[in-house]
Amino acid sequence: SRIHFLICKTKMFYSFLQCRTCLLIWNIIFHCSFVLSSHSGESSGDGFKNPANGFGDQISWKSWPEAKVIAKQTGKPIMVIVHKESCPACRSFKPVFASSEEISNTSDQFVMVNAPFGKEPSEESDLNVDGKYVPRIIFLDSSLNVLKDVINKSGNPKYKYFHKGERSVIDAMKQALTAVAINANSDEIVSTEL
């Protein structure tokens, strides 16, 4: 009976170890998968994750450092959308922006930057032209000068860069392209006069 008791104790201890081992292995797998999933969205070493943020996966979004380089290399203007996840106006604007075929097609003429509030470049002082409200769309030329006259002409004059509809965004995109073309032409005229 003493041997039987020891055998039962040994079996119980062995079962206990197997359960602990299973729990330990499960714990390791769970934590590893969590860590891997939290890093899987990164597209570059600067931690640029989920570049669309609901504003359209079909658009070629760039990080701020990439955008500055690309704009200087290509001469394309930059379009920056500053938004906040907790903002109701931003949440209602996302599907309007993302579903617009015309915005998507016109975006090819820009270097597109999606800037969640508090992340680069939303804190750049030049982008806070008339405040830090969201959502706002700011355009820059390829030399990183803010195109302050490219505004929502049909919007509230206190919030010139606030957009909530497709038409105002498209109009602003056209304004930006016109402003950049005028600046390029005036630079050519100046350079030919010398």
Side-chain angles (χ1 to χ4, degrees):
S1 113
R2 177 124 174 107
I3 293 175
H4 181 62
F5 176 74
L6 288 173
I7 291 172
C8 285
K9 283 280 199 184
T10 306
K11 284 182 180 179
M12 284 178 31
F13 182 71
Y14 184 72
S15 295
F16 173 74
L17 284 179
Q18 283 182 322
C19 282
R20 284 194 71 173
T21 303
C22 287
L23 287 173
L24 180 63
I25 291 170
W26 177 253
N27 219 353
I28 290 170
I29 291 170
F30 174 77
H31 287 292
C32 288
S33 65
F34 179 77
V35 169
L36 289 174
S37 69
S38 69
H39 292 304
S40 64
E42 293 184 7
S43 66
S44 67
D46 60 2
F48 187 54
K49 297 178 188 176
N50 189 14
N53 288 307
F55 281 97
D57 291 326
Q58 73 281 9
I59 294 174
S60 178
W61 297 103
K62 303 297 179 196
S63 68
W64 182 238
E66 288 175 313
K68 294 189 288 187
V69 170
I70 293 169
K72 288 185 181 189
Q73 289 173 345
T74 64
K76 286 184 177 182
I78 299 173
M79 178 175 166
V80 179
I81 299 180
V82 181
H83 59 94
K84 198 174 199 178
E85 194 61 40
S86 62
C87 163
C90 298
R91 285 196 304 266
S92 64
F93 181 53
K94 285 179 183 187
V96 171
F97 190 97
S99 65
S100 170
E101 193 173 317
E102 191 171 357
I103 290 174
S104 178
N105 292 338
T106 309
S107 73
D108 292 339
Q109 299 176 56
F110 294 87
V111 182
M112 302 293 288
V113 177
N114 190 312
F117 194 78
K119 297 194 176 158
E120 196 174 41
S122 71
E123 296 298 314
E124 297 263 340
S125 60
D126 289 348
L127 299 183
N128 299 324
V129 181
D130 67 342
K132 290 188 173 188
Y133 57 88
V134 288
R136 68 184 186 279
I137 299 177
I138 308 292
F139 294 90
L140 299 91
D141 64 19
S142 60
S143 299
L144 307 181
N145 300 308
V146 173
L147 301 173
K148 293 180 181 177
D149 294 333
V150 179
I151 61 171
N152 179 355
K153 293 190 185 231
S154 61
N156 184 335
K158 287 177 71 176
Y159 307 105
K160 296 176 186 173
Y161 305 95
F162 175 84
H163 296 266
K164 64 180 180 180
E166 173 188 23
R167 187 79 259 145
S168 69
V169 175
I170 293 164
D171 290 345
M173 292 171 96
K174 289 178 181 177
Q175 287 177 51
L177 292 172
T178 301
V180 170
I182 289 170
N183 289 343
N185 288 338
S186 66
D187 288 345
E188 287 175 18
I189 292 169
V190 170
S191 64
T192 57
E193 290 176 357
L194 296 175

